[in-house]
Amino acid sequence: MGTAGIKEVARFAGVSPGTVSNVLNHPERVAAATRARVEEAIRDLGFVRNGSAATLRAGQNRAVGLVVLDVGNPFFVEVARGVEDVASDRDHAVILCNSGESFEKEARNLRVLAEQRVRGVLITPAGENLASVEALHDRGVAVVLVDHSSPGDLCSVSVDDVAGGDLAVTHLLSRGAERLAYVSGPMAIRQCSERRKGARRALRTAGLPVRALEELIVPEMNANGGRLAAEKLLADGLPDAIFCANDLLALGVLRALSQAGVSVPGDVALIGYDDIEFSAAGAVPLSSIRQPTYRLGKIATELLLDVCDDPAGHAHQQIMFQPELVVRESSR
Amino acid sequence: MGTAGIKEVARFAGVSPGTVSNVLNHPERVAAATRARVEEAIRDLGFVRNGSAATLRAGQNRAVGLVVLDVGNPFFVEVARGVEDVASDRDHAVILCNSGESFEKEARNLRVLAEQRVRGVLITPAGENLASVEALHDRGVAVVLVDHSSPGDLCSVSVDDVAGGDLAVTHLLSRGAERLAYVSGPMAIRQCSERRKGARRALRTAGLPVRALEELIVPEMNANGGRLAAEKLLADGLPDAIFCANDLLALGVLRALSQAGVSVPGDVALIGYDDIEFSAAGAVPLSSIRQPTYRLGKIATELLLDVCDDPAGHAHQQIMFQPELVVRESSR
DNA sequence: CTGTTAGCGCATTCAG
DNA sequence: CTGAATGCGCTAACAG
């Protein structure tokens, strides 16, 4: 059994438990010879430090929680990489949780993280209701919002979705489009409504009416949702250009149009959002709006750990990155 | 600060700490009125149980570790969903770790899991060297290998990759192909070599020589790798059909061929492996080999927790699922 | 049904 | 530089 404690190691090495602890946590305080003997005992006994005991003693875990909406979404996978790298550099573990956009799962995850006494939590909230997040924060756990700009007093790191929507539509308009469509998930999803806001701003700037942008709202932001939207557009009459609220939708649209014999970008220009890996890999490479996802995770984690290390001296920050237009064949 | 302990709750509710613990862990043992009073105190004080203390006391965490090669890979995302669902049903948390196919990260993850005293570990090993996995197992931690059939005495749940390779190539042959290509990652990756083995078996069954299958090995199993392979094929002369070791490779091949004006499946038939979501969504829907990924995670977790609950009475099992051919347009 | 109590394994005092 | 002692917060066992 894996129950060699620090005590047995001490006995085996002929030292006291305190010395073993020092070898583990403050090696410089221990004479080289003693240290070597202890380290050998650790190896021989297959000793593994009991993290719970250490955490209990310390009052907090050297870990941060990361709660995302969908671990399967490439956007969050990239964010997670950024988080992982920084946390690992600063000797923290990352506990990755998936809320699946459900408040209930979000709350459950948050509870587990609180029970684990993580130093802090990075979270993309499942909606506009930040009650459980704020409760956590009030209880003294550091919190940084990811991809969600907070109106309140929470730190946040996000990307300007209004600017992104504007970029996309400005691009389509510059290509000569006059009738546009916006394929989106429910407007309750902040990203969807913000991107629409940006799209409308672009329209205004160009002196066009809001109704030049037809809206198609589908329940799921995936390829199937895109297909549904495309079928509707095919039935109702195609616009000149289509802006999709994410790449998965755009890929679904692209496929449905191709199958119906519609040429992209010949007949219709198309642009997505997120610039996921697959966007560039399709038969018709997809234009998209790229977000600095890795940096999002990286900066958010740095912010979080800085707050943890110096809770007093740190002002709340709300950082917003700018997205970037990536033009590929689908709107060339 | 979030430091309301069980003791304060007890004082606040006018009961003893033991009773609070009972409300938390064995509510049925406590009189309804007392329970209500304690629950109110818990809410009022914002008490959250200290998981480390509980784990320390119990000797083990109600959590399992899941170590995968790449959290960004849809295959593992589906596996993780299966794991998550079962673990959650049985009241266990899942600690998801990414090894990135690196032994070093794998070992580090395993150490963290051991420190956390997880009940068991589900792991797709980074290679054939199972030393650190076996060390963990020897220390008394339950282990189930995922997508890796173990020759030794470890439980495992996997999919028959030889059968999958056979399925793919048999299908291509049945379509009349005579000159084939196999686009693959390094043969050090077990999946790649097993799938090749199956491909060759199919060739033999059809009475064809092994050299009817040209091999293209690329360093990375992604769309870019596929592009490289396709460029080589375009330069050297195209085969009748191409079998790719995964869908990402196949999508890369598909795109490069399309751009070069080669028709799929008109000029070349194409089949991938894994049947990721995007396979069906492209302009030319991709044939593929589907694996029961969700079930893989589900069954592995059930096996793991069964072993944990009854370490003695459980024989080691090595379960192998069969993959399934999915024919779409790219090889129709 | 409720109260009391003894550690779980470790890290950190404070002496020596 | 090393050793002994204390308690982190909780749960289970037992006593009342």
Side-chain angles (χ1 to χ4, degrees):
Chain A
M1 281 300 292
T3 330
I6 217 172
K7 225 158 175 175
E8 281 120 295
V9 174
R11 191 151 14 109
F12 195 86
V15 296
S16 81
T19 301
V20 177
S21 171
N22 275 331
V23 171
L24 256 29
N25 304 303
H26 306 282
E28 74 287 357
R29 294 188 193 163
V30 180
T34 321
R35 190 168 62 215
R37 204 144 33 88
V38 171
E39 279 164 352
E40 196 192 324
I42 287 176
R43 260 194 309 281
D44 289 356
L45 266 44
F47 165 79
V48 179
R49 170 225 249 96
N50 184 324
S52 305
T55 297
L56 175 58
R57 192 70 238 287
Q60 54 174 12
N61 209 334
R62 282 193 81 76
V64 299
L66 171 62
V67 184
V68 301
L69 299 181
D70 176 10
V71 282
N73 185 326
F75 175 86
F76 290 114
V77 172
E78 266 306 291
V79 171
R81 264 189 246 282
V83 173
E84 178 77 40
D85 285 354
V86 173
S88 167
D89 267 4
R90 295 174 65 158
D91 195 26
H92 283 256
V94 176
I95 303 180
L96 178 57
C97 304
N98 192 205
S99 74
E101 303 189 25
S102 133
F103 280 112
E104 190 201 331
K105 286 181 83 178
E106 177 181 288
R108 207 176 51 182
N109 285 323
L110 255 22
R111 192 178 50 71
V112 170
L113 293 174
E115 287 187 0
Q116 294 303 315
R117 297 297 191 265
V118 293
R119 292 199 73 187
V121 171
L122 298 157
I123 181 169
T124 304
E128 292 304 313
N129 180 352
L130 300 184
S132 38
V133 178
E134 271 161 2
L136 192 72
H137 184 239
D138 291 344
R139 207 185 295 114
V141 180
V143 172
V144 171
L145 264 25
V146 176
D147 195 34
H148 190 289
S149 59
S150 73
D153 61 345
L154 292 168
C155 288
S156 68
V157 180
S158 58
V159 186
D160 190 337
D161 281 303
V162 177
D166 191 329
L167 272 177
V169 168
T170 299
H171 164 64
L172 294 175
L173 292 174
S174 79
R175 232 187 126 271
E178 291 177 354
R179 276 192 58 217
L180 307 182
Y182 176 46
V183 175
S184 168
M187 288 303 154
I189 297 177
R190 197 188 49 79
Q191 282 80 355
C192 293
S193 55
E194 300 272 287
R195 288 168 197 176
R196 176 177 68 179
K197 195 189 287 183
R200 289 181 172 173
R201 188 172 74 190
L203 251 30
R204 272 200 309 280
T205 307
L208 288 166
V210 166
R211 59 179 168 66
L213 182 73
E214 182 184 358
E215 271 170 33
L216 291 113
I217 298 181
V218 294
E220 291 181 316
M221 293 181 71
N222 54 25
N224 192 48
R227 186 180 54 77
L228 293 173
E231 282 166 3
K232 186 130 196 312
L233 287 171
L234 285 165
D236 296 356
L238 288 174
D240 304 324
I242 305 173
F243 169 37
C244 294
N246 78 10
D247 282 354
L248 262 29
L249 285 169
L251 289 171
V253 167
L254 178 58
R255 183 188 164 201
L257 291 183
S258 300
Q259 286 194 323
V262 174
S263 153
V264 174
D267 302 323
V268 185
L270 181 65
I271 185 167
Y273 208 109
D274 283 350
D275 193 35
I276 64 178
E277 188 190 349
F278 302 96
S279 303
V284 179
L286 191 67
S287 297
S288 196
I289 303 293
R290 177 184 298 161
Q291 310 189 67
T293 37
Y294 179 89
R295 275 185 68 202
L296 211 60
K298 182 165 137 62
I299 302 291
T301 310
E302 285 170 354
L303 196 54
L304 183 75
L305 291 179
D306 287 347
V307 173
C308 291
D309 289 342
D310 180 12
H314 217 88
H316 285 140
Q317 289 192 42
Q318 298 178 196
I319 299 174
M320 184 170 280
F321 288 109
Q322 291 304 309
E324 185 189 340
L325 173 68
V326 179
V327 179
R328 297 207 185 83
E329 201 168 319
S330 73
S331 69
R332 188 105 60 183
Chain B
M1 282 298 295
T3 328
I6 217 173
K7 231 159 171 172
E8 281 122 293
V9 174
R11 194 154 10 112
F12 195 84
V15 296
S16 80
T19 301
V20 177
S21 171
N22 276 333
V23 170
L24 256 30
N25 304 302
H26 307 281
E28 75 285 357
R29 293 187 193 164
V30 180
T34 320
R35 190 167 63 216
R37 203 144 34 88
V38 172
E39 279 164 352
E40 196 191 324
I42 287 176
R43 260 194 310 280
D44 290 356
L45 266 46
F47 165 80
V48 178
R49 171 223 255 95
N50 184 323
S52 303
T55 296
L56 176 59
R57 192 78 235 295
Q60 55 176 10
N61 209 333
R62 283 193 80 77
V64 299
L66 171 61
V67 185
V68 301
L69 300 181
D70 177 12
V71 283
N73 185 326
F75 175 86
F76 290 113
V77 172
E78 266 306 289
V79 171
R81 264 190 246 282
V83 173
E84 179 77 39
D85 285 353
V86 173
S88 167
D89 268 3
R90 295 173 65 157
D91 195 27
H92 282 256
V94 177
I95 303 179
L96 178 56
C97 305
N98 192 202
S99 73
E101 305 190 24
S102 131
F103 280 112
E104 189 200 335
K105 285 181 84 178
E106 176 181 287
R108 207 176 51 182
N109 284 323
L110 255 22
R111 191 176 52 68
V112 170
L113 293 174
E115 286 186 1
Q116 294 304 316
R117 297 297 190 266
V118 293
R119 292 200 74 188
V121 170
L122 298 156
I123 181 169
T124 303
E128 292 304 313
N129 181 355
L130 299 184
S132 39
V133 178
E134 271 161 3
L136 191 72
H137 184 239
D138 291 346
R139 206 183 297 114
V141 179
V143 172
V144 172
L145 264 25
V146 176
D147 195 35
H148 189 288
S149 58
S150 73
D153 61 345
L154 292 168
C155 287
S156 69
V157 180
S158 59
V159 186
D160 191 338
D161 281 303
V162 177
D166 191 328
L167 271 178
V169 168
T170 299
H171 164 65
L172 294 176
L173 292 174
S174 78
R175 233 188 125 271
E178 291 177 352
R179 275 192 61 218
L180 307 181
Y182 176 46
V183 175
S184 168
M187 287 304 153
I189 297 177
R190 198 189 49 79
Q191 282 80 350
C192 293
S193 55
E194 301 272 288
R195 287 167 197 177
R196 176 176 68 177
K197 195 191 284 184
R200 289 181 172 174
R201 188 172 76 189
L203 251 31
R204 271 199 310 280
T205 307
L208 287 167
V210 165
R211 60 179 169 64
L213 182 73
E214 183 184 356
E215 270 170 35
L216 291 115
I217 299 181
V218 293
E220 290 182 317
M221 292 181 72
N222 54 25
N224 191 47
R227 186 181 56 78
L228 293 174
E231 282 167 2
K232 186 133 197 308
L233 286 171
L234 285 165
D236 297 357
L238 288 174
D240 305 324
I242 304 173
F243 169 37
C244 294
N246 79 9
D247 282 353
L248 262 28
L249 284 169
L251 290 171
V253 167
L254 178 58
R255 183 188 164 201
L257 292 183
S258 300
Q259 287 194 320
V262 174
S263 152
V264 174
D267 302 324
V268 185
L270 180 65
I271 186 167
Y273 208 109
D274 283 349
D275 193 35
I276 64 178
E277 188 190 349
F278 301 96
S279 303
V284 179
L286 193 66
S287 296
S288 196
I289 302 294
R290 177 184 298 161
Q291 310 188 69
T293 37
Y294 179 88
R295 277 185 66 203
L296 211 60
K298 183 164 137 61
I299 301 290
T301 310
E302 285 170 354
L303 196 54
L304 183 75
L305 291 178
D306 287 347
V307 173
C308 292
D309 288 341
D310 180 10
H314 218 87
H316 286 138
Q317 288 193 43
Q318 296 177 199
I319 299 174
M320 184 171 279
F321 288 108
Q322 291 304 309
E324 186 189 341
L325 173 69
V326 179
V327 179
R328 296 206 185 84
E329 200 168 319
S330 73
S331 69
R332 189 104 62 184

